[in-house]
Amino acid sequence: MREAAFVKQNKDKWLKFESLLKNNTHISPDELSASYVEITDHLSYANTFYRGSNTAKYLNDLASQAHRKIYKNKKESKNKFILFYTKEFPLFFYQYQKQLLFSFIVFALFAIIGAYSAANDDSFVRAVLGDAYVNSTLNNIENNDPMAVYKQASETDMFLGITINNIRVGLMAFTFGVLAGLGTLVVIMQNAIMLGSFQYFFYDKGLLWASARTIWIHGTIEISVIIIAACAGLVVGRSILFPKTYSRLQSFVTGIKDGLKIVISTVPFFIIAGFLEGFVTRHTEMPDILAILIITLSLILILWYYVLLPHRLHKKFVDGK
């Protein structure tokens, strides 16, 4: 939406609210709170799409006035953390749906390449996964427990180790975006090829379903947020390559800030994935229906938060639908 259209659509609400604040007119707490939430949503949108504009400055001033009136002689709201995840971030992330789609397509493409390479070269899996892992897994298969790798460490140790490692991979995907996005693409490529060859390895052993129903219990969220972290790196890369009307430095700083927000959003999901891998995946004896339920709910959670919710909030607070 163009800035002029955004202003035209909402200016009557802003002027009315400004008048109530300036004239110290009595406003019910519920009305004041509802108006404040709406103004801050508009401010978030303006900072995203019209950063530094008069509209953004005006809304920032209006929100500040409302904040002082609401929180006068009170401490800062304790719900700022919750508001970031439930409203501010999803609304902000709407603008990066294309980068998310591109990140997913690249990951899927290289996963297919990894599987194809493993199918045509017997040594490829060992080159990617390492001899130690392959030999250990072959031994587990002979012992009729192909997923035993998820049972070797204690629950807590695996949870902490996996979570830290996954966050490290996410940060790499983001920070390597400073190499004009090429570093991020390398991270995507490495992880996708590993996944593709990994899944083909079990397929070749006649264990595709046994591996998939186990691995994707945690992998649904884990792989998804790696793709999302890569999206953050692509945002940084795009800010360098395509600064638009900004100077390249201004665009880069904005890209870093926006990418960092995306990475921060993934941390709770990395923790969930680590918890599932440490405490749940190891229970390979669980019924298939339960594994399918966990995988399905995980996929719904990711799609809802990173795709459906951003579109829903954009329609509600920007398009007015």
Side-chain angles (χ1 to χ4, degrees):
M1 181 185 294
R2 293 183 178 276
E3 184 178 358
F6 177 68
V7 172
K8 183 178 180 180
Q9 178 178 296
N10 297 290
K11 68 176 182 179
D12 289 341
K13 297 178 184 178
W14 303 340
L15 291 174
K16 178 181 177 181
F17 189 52
E18 182 181 17
S19 177
L20 291 173
L21 291 174
K22 285 186 176 180
N23 296 328
N24 203 27
T25 307
H26 175 72
I27 314 174
S28 69
D30 290 341
E31 183 182 359
L32 181 60
S33 178
S35 297
Y36 176 66
V37 169
E38 187 173 27
I39 290 297
T40 54
D41 285 329
H42 290 168
L43 173 61
S44 177
Y45 184 83
N47 281 333
T48 298
F49 293 100
Y50 323 120
R51 192 188 302 270
S53 67
N54 289 332
T55 301
K57 293 176 182 177
Y58 169 76
L59 289 172
N60 184 64
D61 181 64
L62 189 59
S64 297
Q65 292 180 47
H67 184 275
R68 286 193 294 270
K69 190 174 184 68
I70 294 172
Y71 296 103
K72 186 177 182 180
N73 298 325
K74 292 183 179 180
K75 293 182 179 180
E76 184 73 18
S77 172
K78 296 180 180 179
N79 295 324
K80 193 171 183 180
F81 178 81
I82 296 175
L83 286 174
F84 170 80
Y85 279 98
T86 58
K87 284 190 176 181
E88 181 183 337
F89 174 77
L91 184 61
F92 152 83
F93 192 61
Y94 174 83
Q95 65 184 307
Y96 293 123
Q97 294 294 297
K98 290 182 179 179
Q99 284 78 10
L100 176 61
L101 178 60
F102 180 74
S103 180
F104 169 77
I105 291 173
V106 171
F107 190 96
L109 176 63
F110 278 108
I112 293 171
I113 291 173
Y116 180 81
S117 300
N120 288 275
D121 184 352
D122 293 338
S123 64
F124 187 79
V125 172
R126 288 184 176 275
V128 172
L129 301 179
D131 287 331
Y133 179 84
V134 172
N135 292 335
S136 174
T137 302
L138 288 174
N139 185 58
N140 291 335
I141 292 173
E142 290 179 3
N143 294 327
N144 296 316
D145 193 4
M147 299 292 109
V149 66
Y150 295 105
K151 308 172 186 178
Q152 292 176 354
S154 69
E155 288 94 337
T156 302
D157 288 345
M158 180 168 281
F159 163 59
L160 292 174
I162 291 296
T163 300
I164 292 172
N165 180 68
N166 287 340
I167 292 175
R168 180 186 64 81
V169 173
L171 288 173
M172 284 175 57
F174 162 58
T175 55
F176 284 5
V178 300
L179 302 175
L182 295 177
T184 297
L185 292 177
V186 170
V187 174
I188 295 177
M189 178 187 71
Q190 290 176 335
N191 284 273
I193 288 177
M194 186 179 295
L195 175 65
S197 60
F198 179 83
Q199 285 286 210
Y200 181 82
F201 172 72
F202 284 101
Y203 166 78
D204 189 49
K205 303 301 177 184
L207 295 167
L208 179 61
W209 171 244
S211 65
R213 53 91 67 197
T214 300
I215 295 163
W216 289 97
I217 286 175
H218 63 271
T220 301
I221 293 180
E222 180 182 290
I223 297 301
S224 296
V225 286
I226 287 176
I227 291 171
I228 292 159
C231 169
L234 295 177
V235 167
V236 175
R238 191 191 71 160
S239 72
I240 298 170
L241 296 174
F242 308 106
K244 296 183 179 180
T245 58
Y246 299 100
S247 71
R248 200 169 298 276
L249 179 59
Q250 288 176 321
S251 178
F252 174 67
V253 171
T254 299
I256 289 291
K257 290 180 179 179
D258 289 355
L260 187 57
K261 281 186 179 181
I262 297 172
V263 172
I264 290 173
S265 80
T266 66
V267 173
F269 293 96
F270 275 129
I271 294 174
I272 293 172
F275 174 83
L276 289 173
E277 186 164 0
F279 291 91
V280 181
T281 300
R282 65 179 56 239
H283 295 289
T284 55
E285 75 284 354
M286 77 170 64
D288 286 354
I289 188 64
L290 180 56
I292 293 171
L293 179 62
I294 294 172
I295 293 169
T296 302
L297 291 176
S298 297
L299 182 60
I300 290 173
L301 174 63
I302 291 294
L303 290 177
W304 175 80
Y305 188 72
Y306 284 101
V307 180
L308 300 179
L309 184 58
H311 281 83
R312 179 183 176 186
L313 292 178
H314 186 271
K315 284 185 177 180
K316 180 179 180 181
F317 293 110
V318 180
D319 295 339
K321 295 180 181 179

